[in-house]
Amino acid sequence: MRAFNVVKFRIKAGHEAAFLDAHRDGKARWPGLAHGAIIKTGDLAYCLIGEWSSAEALAAARPAMIETLNTFRATLDEVAEGRGVTDAVSGSVVLDIA
């Protein structure tokens, strides 16, 4: 069953290009990822949305995703007090709308 994850980021001023570059050219091509997109949700705010072949594939890719995160961690501000530099959720698809 397909799964999705959503990760919120807040980027430090002047570091948006470095954040985006960390995901270009296959750097975020994690095993099991069917499709991914980064959307800008506000001033210095972004979300990464990933579609995965299964919840198991998503879970198996977490070490590789953390490895990628570590390459641009210095570009991030805390997302919310006490929540760290990412705010992530994930789950299996329960209803396709379109």
Side-chain angles (χ1 to χ4, degrees):
M1 178 176 290
R2 287 181 4 251
F4 282 81
N5 72 320
V6 178
V7 184
K8 293 181 191 177
F9 301 96
R10 181 158 300 282
I11 311 306
K12 293 178 181 175
H15 289 84
E16 290 176 278
F19 166 74
L20 294 172
D21 286 346
H23 296 89
R24 286 191 168 97
D25 303 322
K27 295 175 196 148
R29 195 171 292 135
W30 305 296
L33 179 67
H35 181 77
I38 295 177
I39 61 171
K40 186 167 184 165
T41 59
D43 189 36
L44 302 176
Y46 291 84
C47 281
L48 182 149
I49 302 169
E51 179 180 2
W52 298 84
S53 56
S54 68
E56 294 78 17
L58 168 58
R62 284 192 179 115
M65 288 187 283
I66 292 168
E67 193 174 306
T68 302
L69 170 64
N70 288 337
T71 69
F72 65 90
R73 189 179 293 275
T75 70
L76 304 176
D77 272 333
E78 197 170 281
V79 174
E81 178 116 7
R83 301 212 66 188
V85 295
T86 65
D87 183 8
V89 295
S90 64
S92 297
V93 174
V94 296
L95 176 69
D96 278 316
I97 297 174

Coordinates of all heavy atoms in Angstrom, one line a residue:
M1 N 0.8 -1.2 0.0 CA 0.0 0.0 0.0 C 0.9 1.2 0.0 O 1.8 1.3 0.8 CB -0.9 0.0 1.2 CG -1.8 1.2 1.3 SD -2.9 1.1 2.7 CE -4.0 -0.1 2.1
R2 N 0.6 2.2 -0.9 CA 1.4 3.4 -1.0 C 1.4 4.2 0.3 O 0.4 4.1 1.1 CB 0.8 4.3 -2.1 CG 1.1 3.8 -3.5 CD 0.6 4.7 -4.6 NE -0.1 5.9 -4.2 CZ -1.4 6.2 -4.3 NH1 -2.2 5.2 -4.8 NH2 -1.9 7.3 -4.0
A3 N 2.4 5.0 0.5 CA 2.5 5.8 1.7 C 3.0 7.2 1.3 O 3.7 7.3 0.2 CB 3.4 5.2 2.7
F4 N 2.8 8.2 2.1 CA 3.3 9.6 1.9 C 4.0 10.0 3.2 O 3.6 9.6 4.3 CB 2.2 10.5 1.5 CG 1.7 10.4 0.1 CD1 0.8 9.4 -0.2 CD2 2.1 11.3 -0.8 CE1 0.3 9.3 -1.5 CE2 1.7 11.2 -2.1 CZ 0.8 10.2 -2.5
N5 N 4.9 10.9 3.0 CA 5.5 11.6 4.1 C 5.5 13.1 3.8 O 5.6 13.5 2.6 CB 6.9 11.1 4.6 CG 8.0 11.4 3.6 OD1 7.8 11.4 2.4 ND2 9.1 11.8 4.1
V6 N 5.4 13.9 4.8 CA 5.5 15.4 4.7 C 6.4 15.9 5.8 O 6.3 15.5 6.9 CB 4.1 16.0 4.9 CG1 4.2 17.6 4.8 CG2 3.1 15.5 3.9
V7 N 7.4 16.7 5.3 CA 8.4 17.2 6.3 C 8.4 18.7 6.1 O 8.7 19.2 5.0 CB 9.8 16.6 6.0 CG1 10.8 17.1 7.1 CG2 9.8 15.1 6.0
K8 N 8.2 19.4 7.2 CA 8.2 20.9 7.2 C 9.6 21.3 7.6 O 10.3 20.8 8.5 CB 7.3 21.5 8.3 CG 5.8 21.3 8.0 CD 5.0 21.9 9.1 CE 3.6 21.6 9.1 NZ 2.9 22.2 10.2
F9 N 10.1 22.4 6.9 CA 11.4 23.0 7.2 C 11.2 24.5 7.2 O 10.4 25.1 6.5 CB 12.3 22.7 6.0 CG 12.6 21.3 5.7 CD1 11.9 20.6 4.7 CD2 13.6 20.6 6.4 CE1 12.2 19.3 4.4 CE2 13.9 19.3 6.1 CZ 13.1 18.6 5.1
R10 N 12.0 25.2 8.1 CA 12.2 26.6 8.1 C 13.6 26.9 7.8 O 14.5 26.4 8.5 CB 11.8 27.2 9.4 CG 11.9 28.7 9.4 CD 11.1 29.4 10.5 NE 9.6 29.2 10.3 CZ 8.8 29.8 9.5 NH1 9.3 30.6 8.6 NH2 7.6 29.5 9.4
I11 N 13.9 27.6 6.7 CA 15.2 27.9 6.3 C 15.8 29.2 6.8 O 15.1 30.2 6.9 CB 15.3 27.9 4.7 CG1 14.5 26.8 4.1 CG2 16.7 28.0 4.2 CD1 14.9 25.4 4.5
K12 N 17.1 29.2 7.2 CA 17.7 30.4 7.6 C 17.8 31.4 6.4 O 18.0 30.9 5.3 CB 19.1 30.1 8.1 CG 19.2 29.3 9.4 CD 20.6 29.0 9.8 CE 20.6 28.2 11.1 NZ 22.0 27.8 11.5
A13 N 17.6 32.6 6.7 CA 17.7 33.7 5.6 C 19.0 33.5 4.9 O 20.1 33.4 5.5 CB 17.5 35.1 6.2
G14 N 18.9 33.6 3.6 CA 20.1 33.5 2.7 C 20.6 32.1 2.4 O 21.6 31.9 1.7
H15 N 19.9 31.1 2.9 CA 20.3 29.7 2.7 C 19.3 28.9 1.8 O 19.4 27.7 1.8 CB 20.5 29.0 4.0 CG 21.7 29.5 4.8 ND1 21.7 30.6 5.5 CD2 23.0 29.0 4.8 CE1 22.9 30.8 6.0 NE2 23.7 29.9 5.6
E16 N 18.3 29.5 1.2 CA 17.3 28.8 0.4 C 18.0 28.0 -0.7 O 17.6 26.9 -0.9 CB 16.3 29.8 -0.1 CG 15.4 30.3 1.1 CD 14.4 31.3 0.6 OE1 14.7 32.5 0.5 OE2 13.2 30.9 0.4
A17 N 18.9 28.6 -1.4 CA 19.5 27.9 -2.6 C 20.3 26.7 -2.1 O 20.2 25.6 -2.7 CB 20.5 28.9 -3.3
A18 N 21.0 26.8 -1.0 CA 21.7 25.6 -0.5 C 20.7 24.5 0.0 O 21.0 23.3 -0.3 CB 22.6 26.0 0.7
F19 N 19.6 24.9 0.6 CA 18.6 23.9 0.9 C 18.1 23.2 -0.3 O 18.0 21.9 -0.3 CB 17.4 24.6 1.7 CG 16.2 23.8 1.8 CD1 16.1 22.7 2.7 CD2 15.1 24.0 1.0 CE1 15.0 21.9 2.8 CE2 13.9 23.3 1.2 CZ 13.9 22.2 2.0
L20 N 17.7 23.9 -1.3 CA 17.2 23.3 -2.5 C 18.2 22.5 -3.3 O 17.9 21.4 -3.8 CB 16.6 24.4 -3.5 CG 15.3 25.1 -2.9 CD1 14.9 26.3 -3.8 CD2 14.2 24.1 -2.7
D21 N 19.4 23.0 -3.3 CA 20.5 22.3 -4.0 C 20.8 20.9 -3.3 O 21.2 20.0 -4.0 CB 21.8 23.1 -4.0 CG 21.7 24.2 -5.0 OD1 20.8 24.3 -5.9 OD2 22.6 25.1 -4.9
A22 N 20.6 20.8 -2.0 CA 20.8 19.6 -1.3 C 19.9 18.4 -1.8 O 20.1 17.3 -1.5 CB 20.7 19.8 0.2
H23 N 18.8 18.8 -2.5 CA 17.8 17.8 -3.0 C 17.9 17.6 -4.5 O 17.2 16.8 -5.0 CB 16.4 18.3 -2.6 CG 16.2 18.3 -1.1 ND1 16.5 19.5 -0.4 CD2 15.8 17.4 -0.2 CE1 16.2 19.2 0.9 NE2 15.8 18.0 1.0
R24 N 18.7 18.4 -5.2 CA 18.8 18.3 -6.6 C 19.8 17.2 -7.1 O 20.6 16.7 -6.3 CB 19.4 19.6 -7.2 CG 18.3 20.7 -7.2 CD 18.9 21.9 -8.0 NE 17.8 22.8 -8.2 CZ 17.6 23.9 -7.5 NH1 18.4 24.2 -6.5 NH2 16.6 24.7 -7.8
D25 N 19.7 16.9 -8.4 CA 20.6 16.0 -9.0 C 20.7 14.6 -8.4 O 21.8 14.0 -8.2 CB 22.0 16.6 -9.1 CG 22.0 18.0 -9.8 OD1 21.2 18.1 -10.8 OD2 22.7 18.9 -9.4
G26 N 19.6 14.1 -8.0 CA 19.6 12.7 -7.4 C 20.0 12.6 -5.9 O 20.0 11.5 -5.4
K27 N 20.3 13.7 -5.3 CA 20.7 13.7 -3.9 C 19.6 13.2 -3.0 O 19.9 12.8 -1.9 CB 21.3 15.0 -3.4 CG 22.5 15.4 -4.2 CD 22.9 16.9 -3.8 CE 23.9 17.4 -4.8 NZ 23.8 18.8 -4.9
A28 N 18.4 13.3 -3.4 CA 17.2 12.9 -2.6 C 16.5 11.7 -3.3 O 15.3 11.6 -3.2 CB 16.3 14.1 -2.4
R29 N 17.2 11.0 -4.1 CA 16.6 9.8 -4.7 C 16.8 8.6 -3.8 O 17.7 7.8 -4.0 CB 17.3 9.6 -6.1 CG 16.5 8.6 -7.0 CD 17.0 8.5 -8.4 NE 16.8 9.8 -9.1 CZ 17.7 10.4 -9.8 NH1 18.9 9.9 -10.0 NH2 17.4 11.6 -10.4
W30 N 15.9 8.5 -2.8 CA 16.0 7.5 -1.8 C 15.3 6.2 -2.3 O 14.3 6.3 -3.0 CB 15.4 7.9 -0.5 CG 16.0 9.2 0.0 CD1 17.3 9.4 0.4 CD2 15.3 10.5 0.1 NE1 17.5 10.7 0.8 CE2 16.3 11.4 0.6 CE3 14.0 10.9 -0.1 CZ2 16.0 12.7 0.9 CZ3 13.7 12.2 0.2 CH2 14.7 13.1 0.7
P31 N 15.8 5.0 -2.0 CA 15.2 3.8 -2.4 C 13.7 3.7 -2.0 O 13.4 4.0 -0.8 CB 16.0 2.7 -1.7 CG 17.3 3.4 -1.3 CD 17.0 4.8 -1.1
G32 N 12.8 3.4 -2.9 CA 11.4 3.3 -2.6 C 10.6 4.5 -2.9 O 9.4 4.5 -2.8
L33 N 11.3 5.7 -3.1 CA 10.6 6.9 -3.3 C 10.1 6.9 -4.8 O 10.8 6.8 -5.7 CB 11.5 8.1 -3.1 CG 10.9 9.5 -3.4 CD1 9.9 9.8 -2.3 CD2 12.0 10.6 -3.4
A34 N 8.7 7.0 -4.9 CA 8.1 7.0 -6.2 C 8.1 8.4 -6.8 O 8.4 8.6 -8.0 CB 6.7 6.5 -6.1
H35 N 7.9 9.4 -6.0 CA 7.8 10.8 -6.4 C 8.0 11.7 -5.2 O 7.5 11.4 -4.1 CB 6.5 11.1 -7.1 CG 6.4 12.5 -7.6 ND1 7.1 12.9 -8.7 CD2 5.8 13.6 -7.1 CE1 6.8 14.2 -8.9 NE2 6.1 14.6 -7.9
G36 N 8.7 12.8 -5.4 CA 8.9 13.8 -4.3 C 8.8 15.2 -4.9 O 9.1 15.4 -6.1
A37 N 8.4 16.1 -4.0 CA 8.3 17.5 -4.4 C 8.5 18.3 -3.2 O 8.2 17.9 -2.1 CB 6.9 17.8 -5.0
I38 N 9.1 19.5 -3.4 CA 9.3 20.5 -2.4 C 8.4 21.7 -2.8 O 8.5 22.2 -3.9 CB 10.8 20.9 -2.2 CG1 11.6 19.7 -1.8 CG2 10.9 22.1 -1.3 CD1 13.1 20.0 -1.7
I39 N 7.6 22.1 -1.8 CA 6.8 23.3 -2.0 C 7.1 24.4 -1.1 O 7.6 24.1 0.1 CB 5.3 22.9 -1.9 CG1 4.9 22.4 -0.5 CG2 4.9 21.9 -3.0 CD1 3.4 22.2 -0.3
K40 N 7.0 25.6 -1.5 CA 7.2 26.7 -0.7 C 5.9 27.1 0.0 O 4.9 27.4 -0.7 CB 7.8 27.9 -1.5 CG 8.2 29.1 -0.6 CD 9.1 30.1 -1.3 CE 9.5 31.1 -0.3 NZ 10.6 31.9 -0.8
T41 N 5.9 27.1 1.3 CA 4.6 27.4 2.0 C 4.5 28.7 2.7 O 3.5 29.1 3.2 CB 4.4 26.3 3.1 OG1 5.5 26.3 4.0 CG2 4.3 24.9 2.4
G42 N 5.6 29.5 2.6 CA 5.7 30.8 3.2 C 7.1 31.4 3.1 O 8.0 30.8 2.5
D43 N 7.3 32.5 3.7 CA 8.6 33.1 3.8 C 9.6 32.2 4.5 O 9.4 32.0 5.7 CB 8.5 34.5 4.4 CG 9.8 35.3 4.3 OD1 10.4 35.2 3.3 OD2 10.1 36.0 5.3
L44 N 10.5 31.7 3.8 CA 11.5 30.8 4.4 C 11.0 29.5 4.9 O 11.6 28.8 5.6 CB 12.3 31.5 5.5 CG 13.1 32.8 5.1 CD1 13.7 33.4 6.3 CD2 14.1 32.5 4.0
A45 N 9.7 29.1 4.5 CA 9.1 27.9 4.9 C 8.8 27.0 3.7 O 8.4 27.4 2.7 CB 7.8 28.2 5.6
Y46 N 9.2 25.7 3.9 CA 9.1 24.7 2.8 C 8.5 23.4 3.4 O 8.7 23.1 4.6 CB 10.4 24.4 2.2 CG 11.0 25.6 1.4 CD1 11.7 26.6 2.0 CD2 10.8 25.6 0.0 CE1 12.2 27.6 1.2 CE2 11.3 26.7 -0.7 CZ 12.0 27.7 -0.1 OH 12.5 28.7 -0.8
C47 N 7.9 22.6 2.5 CA 7.5 21.2 2.8 C 8.1 20.3 1.8 O 8.0 20.6 0.6 CB 6.0 21.1 2.9 SG 5.3 21.7 4.4
L48 N 8.6 19.2 2.2 CA 8.9 18.1 1.2 C 7.8 17.1 1.4 O 7.4 16.7 2.5 CB 10.3 17.5 1.6 CG 10.8 16.4 0.7 CD1 12.3 16.3 0.7 CD2 10.2 15.0 1.1
I49 N 7.3 16.7 0.2 CA 6.2 15.7 0.2 C 6.7 14.5 -0.6 O 7.2 14.7 -1.8 CB 4.9 16.3 -0.5 CG1 4.5 17.5 0.4 CG2 3.8 15.2 -0.5 CD1 3.4 18.3 -0.3
G50 N 6.7 13.4 -0.1 CA 7.2 12.2 -0.7 C 6.1 11.1 -0.9 O 5.3 10.9 0.0
E51 N 6.1 10.5 -2.0 CA 5.2 9.4 -2.3 C 6.0 8.1 -2.3 O 7.0 8.1 -3.1 CB 4.4 9.5 -3.6 CG 3.5 8.4 -3.9 CD 2.7 8.5 -5.1 OE1 2.9 9.5 -5.9 OE2 1.9 7.6 -5.4
W52 N 5.7 7.1 -1.6 CA 6.5 5.9 -1.5 C 5.7 4.7 -1.9 O 4.5 4.7 -1.8 CB 6.8 5.7 0.0 CG 7.7 6.9 0.5 CD1 7.2 8.1 0.9 CD2 9.1 7.0 0.5 NE1 8.3 8.9 1.2 CE2 9.4 8.3 1.0 CE3 10.1 6.1 0.1 CZ2 10.7 8.7 1.1 CZ3 11.4 6.5 0.3 CH2 11.7 7.8 0.7
S53 N 6.4 3.7 -2.3 CA 5.8 2.4 -2.8 C 5.0 1.7 -1.7 O 4.0 1.1 -1.9 CB 6.8 1.5 -3.4 OG 7.9 1.3 -2.5
S54 N 5.5 1.9 -0.4 CA 4.9 1.3 0.7 C 5.4 2.0 2.0 O 6.4 2.6 2.0 CB 5.2 -0.2 0.8 OG 6.6 -0.4 1.1
A55 N 4.7 1.7 3.1 CA 5.1 2.3 4.4 C 6.4 1.6 4.8 O 7.3 2.2 5.4 CB 4.1 2.0 5.5
E56 N 6.6 0.4 4.4 CA 7.9 -0.3 4.7 C 9.1 0.3 3.9 O 10.2 0.4 4.5 CB 7.8 -1.8 4.4 CG 6.8 -2.6 5.2 CD 5.3 -2.4 4.8 OE1 5.0 -1.9 3.7 OE2 4.4 -2.6 5.7
A57 N 8.8 0.7 2.7 CA 9.9 1.3 1.9 C 10.3 2.7 2.5 O 11.4 3.0 2.6 CB 9.4 1.5 0.5
L58 N 9.2 3.4 3.0 CA 9.5 4.7 3.6 C 10.3 4.5 4.9 O 11.3 5.1 5.1 CB 8.2 5.4 4.0 CG 8.2 6.6 4.9 CD1 9.1 7.7 4.4 CD2 6.8 7.1 5.1
A59 N 9.9 3.5 5.7 CA 10.7 3.2 6.9 C 12.1 2.8 6.6 O 13.1 3.3 7.3 CB 10.0 2.2 7.8
A60 N 12.3 2.0 5.6 CA 13.6 1.5 5.3 C 14.5 2.7 4.8 O 15.8 2.6 4.9 CB 13.5 0.4 4.2
A61 N 13.9 3.7 4.2 CA 14.7 4.8 3.6 C 15.1 5.9 4.7 O 15.8 6.8 4.4 CB 13.9 5.5 2.5
R62 N 14.5 5.8 5.8 CA 14.8 6.8 6.9 C 16.3 7.1 7.1 O 16.7 8.2 7.2 CB 14.0 6.5 8.1 CG 12.6 6.8 8.0 CD 11.8 6.8 9.4 NE 10.5 7.2 9.1 CZ 9.4 6.3 9.3 NH1 9.7 5.1 9.8 NH2 8.2 6.7 9.1
P63 N 17.1 6.1 7.2 CA 18.6 6.3 7.4 C 19.1 7.2 6.3 O 19.9 8.1 6.5 CB 19.2 5.0 7.5 CG 18.1 4.1 8.0 CD 16.8 4.6 7.4
A64 N 18.7 6.9 5.0 CA 19.3 7.6 3.9 C 18.7 9.1 3.9 O 19.4 10.0 3.6 CB 18.9 6.9 2.6
M65 N 17.5 9.2 4.3 CA 16.9 10.6 4.4 C 17.6 11.4 5.5 O 17.9 12.6 5.3 CB 15.4 10.5 4.7 CG 14.6 10.0 3.5 SD 12.8 10.2 3.8 CE 12.5 8.8 4.9
I66 N 17.9 10.8 6.6 CA 18.7 11.5 7.7 C 20.1 11.8 7.2 O 20.6 12.9 7.5 CB 18.7 10.6 9.0 CG1 17.3 10.5 9.5 CG2 19.7 11.2 10.0 CD1 17.1 9.5 10.6
E67 N 20.7 10.9 6.4 CA 22.0 11.2 5.9 C 21.9 12.5 5.0 O 22.8 13.3 5.0 CB 22.5 10.0 5.1 CG 23.9 10.0 4.7 CD 24.3 8.7 4.0 OE1 24.1 7.6 4.6 OE2 24.8 8.8 2.9
T68 N 20.9 12.6 4.1 CA 20.7 13.7 3.3 C 20.5 15.0 4.2 O 21.1 16.0 3.9 CB 19.5 13.5 2.3 OG1 19.8 12.4 1.5 CG2 19.3 14.8 1.4
L69 N 19.6 14.9 5.2 CA 19.3 16.0 6.1 C 20.6 16.5 6.7 O 20.8 17.7 6.8 CB 18.3 15.5 7.2 CG 18.1 16.5 8.3 CD1 17.5 17.8 7.9 CD2 17.3 15.8 9.4
N70 N 21.5 15.6 7.1 CA 22.7 16.0 7.7 C 23.6 16.9 6.8 O 24.4 17.7 7.3 CB 23.5 14.8 8.2 CG 22.8 14.2 9.4 OD1 22.1 14.9 10.2 ND2 23.1 13.0 9.7
T71 N 23.4 16.8 5.5 CA 24.2 17.6 4.5 C 23.7 19.1 4.5 O 24.5 19.9 4.0 CB 24.2 17.0 3.1 OG1 22.9 17.2 2.5 CG2 24.6 15.6 3.1
F72 N 22.5 19.3 4.9 CA 22.0 20.7 4.9 C 21.4 21.2 6.2 O 20.8 22.3 6.3 CB 21.0 20.9 3.7 CG 19.7 20.1 3.9 CD1 18.6 20.7 4.6 CD2 19.5 18.8 3.4 CE1 17.4 20.0 4.8 CE2 18.4 18.1 3.6 CZ 17.3 18.7 4.3
R73 N 21.6 20.4 7.2 CA 21.1 20.8 8.6 C 21.5 22.2 9.0 O 20.7 22.9 9.6 CB 21.6 19.8 9.6 CG 20.9 19.9 10.9 CD 21.5 18.8 11.9 NE 21.1 17.5 11.5 CZ 20.0 16.9 11.9 NH1 19.1 17.5 12.6 NH2 19.7 15.6 11.5
A74 N 22.7 22.6 8.6 CA 23.1 24.0 9.0 C 22.3 25.1 8.4 O 22.4 26.2 8.8 CB 24.6 24.1 8.7
T75 N 21.5 24.8 7.3 CA 20.7 25.8 6.7 C 19.4 26.0 7.3 O 18.6 26.9 6.9 CB 20.5 25.4 5.2 OG1 19.6 24.3 5.1 CG2 21.8 25.2 4.5
L76 N 19.1 25.2 8.3 CA 17.7 25.2 8.9 C 17.6 25.9 10.2 O 18.5 25.9 11.1 CB 17.3 23.7 9.1 CG 17.3 22.8 7.9 CD1 16.9 21.4 8.3 CD2 16.4 23.4 6.8
D77 N 16.5 26.5 10.4 CA 16.1 27.1 11.7 C 15.1 26.1 12.4 O 14.5 25.2 11.7 CB 15.4 28.4 11.6 CG 16.3 29.6 11.5 OD1 17.4 29.5 12.1 OD2 16.0 30.6 11.0
E78 N 15.0 26.2 13.7 CA 14.0 25.4 14.4 C 12.6 25.6 13.8 O 12.2 26.8 13.6 CB 14.0 25.7 15.9 CG 13.4 24.7 16.7 CD 13.7 24.9 18.2 OE1 14.8 24.5 18.7 OE2 12.8 25.4 18.9
V79 N 11.9 24.6 13.5 CA 10.5 24.7 13.0 C 9.6 25.3 14.0 O 8.8 26.2 13.6 CB 10.0 23.3 12.5 CG1 8.6 23.4 12.0 CG2 10.9 22.7 11.4
A80 N 9.6 24.8 15.2 CA 8.8 25.3 16.3 C 9.5 25.0 17.6 O 10.3 24.1 17.7 CB 7.4 24.6 16.3
E81 N 9.3 25.9 18.5 CA 10.0 25.8 19.8 C 10.0 24.3 20.3 O 8.9 23.7 20.5 CB 9.3 26.7 20.9 CG 10.0 26.6 22.2 CD 10.6 27.9 22.6 OE1 10.5 28.9 21.9 OE2 11.3 27.8 23.7
G82 N 11.1 23.8 20.5 CA 11.3 22.4 21.1 C 11.0 21.3 20.1 O 11.1 20.1 20.5
R83 N 10.8 21.6 18.8 CA 10.4 20.5 17.9 C 11.6 20.2 17.0 O 11.5 19.3 16.1 CB 9.2 20.9 17.0 CG 8.1 21.2 17.9 CD 6.8 20.9 17.3 NE 6.5 19.5 17.1 CZ 5.5 19.1 16.4 NH1 4.6 20.0 16.0 NH2 5.3 17.8 16.3
G84 N 12.7 20.9 17.1 CA 13.9 20.6 16.2 C 13.8 21.3 14.9 O 13.0 22.2 14.7
V85 N 14.6 20.9 13.9 CA 14.7 21.6 12.6 C 13.8 20.9 11.6 O 13.7 21.4 10.5 CB 16.1 21.6 12.1 CG1 17.0 22.5 13.0 CG2 16.7 20.2 11.9
T86 N 13.1 19.9 11.9 CA 12.1 19.3 11.0 C 10.8 18.9 11.8 O 10.8 18.7 13.0 CB 12.6 18.0 10.3 OG1 12.8 17.0 11.3 CG2 13.8 18.3 9.5
D87 N 9.7 18.9 11.1 CA 8.4 18.5 11.6 C 7.9 17.5 10.6 O 7.4 17.9 9.5 CB 7.5 19.7 11.9 CG 6.2 19.3 12.5 OD1 6.0 18.1 13.0 OD2 5.3 20.1 12.6
A88 N 7.9 16.2 10.9 CA 7.6 15.2 9.9 C 6.4 14.4 10.3 O 6.3 14.0 11.5 CB 8.8 14.3 9.7
V89 N 5.6 14.0 9.3 CA 4.5 13.1 9.5 C 4.5 12.1 8.3 O 5.0 12.5 7.3 CB 3.1 13.7 9.7 CG1 3.1 14.6 10.9 CG2 2.8 14.6 8.5
S90 N 3.9 10.9 8.5 CA 3.8 10.0 7.4 C 2.7 9.0 7.7 O 2.3 8.9 8.8 CB 5.2 9.2 7.2 OG 5.5 8.4 8.4
G91 N 2.3 8.4 6.6 CA 1.2 7.3 6.8 C 0.9 6.7 5.4 O 1.3 7.2 4.4
S92 N 0.1 5.6 5.5 CA -0.4 4.9 4.4 C -1.6 5.6 3.8 O -2.4 6.2 4.5 CB -0.7 3.5 4.7 OG 0.4 2.8 5.2
V93 N -1.8 5.5 2.5 CA -2.9 6.0 1.8 C -4.2 5.2 2.2 O -4.2 4.0 2.2 CB -2.7 6.0 0.3 CG1 -4.0 6.4 -0.5 CG2 -1.5 6.8 -0.2
V94 N -5.2 6.0 2.6 CA -6.5 5.4 2.9 C -7.6 5.7 2.0 O -8.6 5.1 1.9 CB -6.9 5.7 4.4 CG1 -5.9 5.1 5.4 CG2 -7.1 7.2 4.6
L95 N -7.3 6.8 1.1 CA -8.3 7.2 0.1 C -7.7 8.0 -0.9 O -7.0 9.0 -0.6 CB -9.4 8.0 0.8 CG -10.5 8.6 -0.1 CD1 -11.4 7.5 -0.7 CD2 -11.4 9.6 0.6
D96 N -7.8 7.6 -2.2 CA -7.4 8.4 -3.3 C -8.5 9.3 -3.7 O -9.7 8.8 -3.9 CB -7.0 7.5 -4.5 CG -5.6 7.0 -4.4 OD1 -4.7 7.8 -4.0 OD2 -5.4 5.8 -4.6
I97 N -8.3 10.6 -3.9 CA -9.3 11.6 -4.2 C -9.5 11.8 -5.6 O -10.6 12.0 -6.1 CB -9.0 12.9 -3.4 CG1 -9.1 12.6 -1.9 CG2 -10.0 14.0 -3.8 CD1 -8.7 13.8 -1.0
A98 N -8.4 11.9 -6.4 CA -8.5 12.2 -7.8 C -7.9 11.0 -8.6 O -7.2 10.2 -8.2 CB -7.8 13.4 -8.2

